[in-house]
Amino acid sequence: TGGGATVVFSIAPALGESDGTISSTTDVGNGTYTATFTGTLPGTPTIIEATINAATVTRTPKPTIKVDP
């Protein structure tokens, strides 16, 4: 896996009370991709969705979410 896919992260509509923004995705070049989620409204959990080459990620493993304080 060397990268090159089109990966897009998005916030699921109408799920959870919390909200935020997601940056453009960066292809790290080794099969991993990163994007930054910036929280703007606290509340119940929001679901982050992902697509790879326009196909919805529906199975495990789901994207890993890393939280930086």
Side-chain angles (χ1 to χ4, degrees):
T1 55
T6 300
V7 177
V8 177
F9 296 98
S10 59
I11 299 170
L15 295 175
E17 296 172 352
S18 58
D19 199 7
T21 59
I22 301 175
S23 69
S24 298
T25 304
T26 300
D27 181 348
V28 180
N30 63 358
T32 62
Y33 299 80
T34 63
T36 300
F37 173 80
T38 303
T40 58
L41 181 68
T44 58
T46 294
I47 295 175
I48 305 295
E49 300 177 319
T51 60
I52 301 172
N53 294 330
T56 301
V57 176
T58 59
R59 60 180 190 201
T60 56
K62 296 283 188 182
T64 299
I65 307 297
K66 178 183 174 195
V67 177
D68 288 329

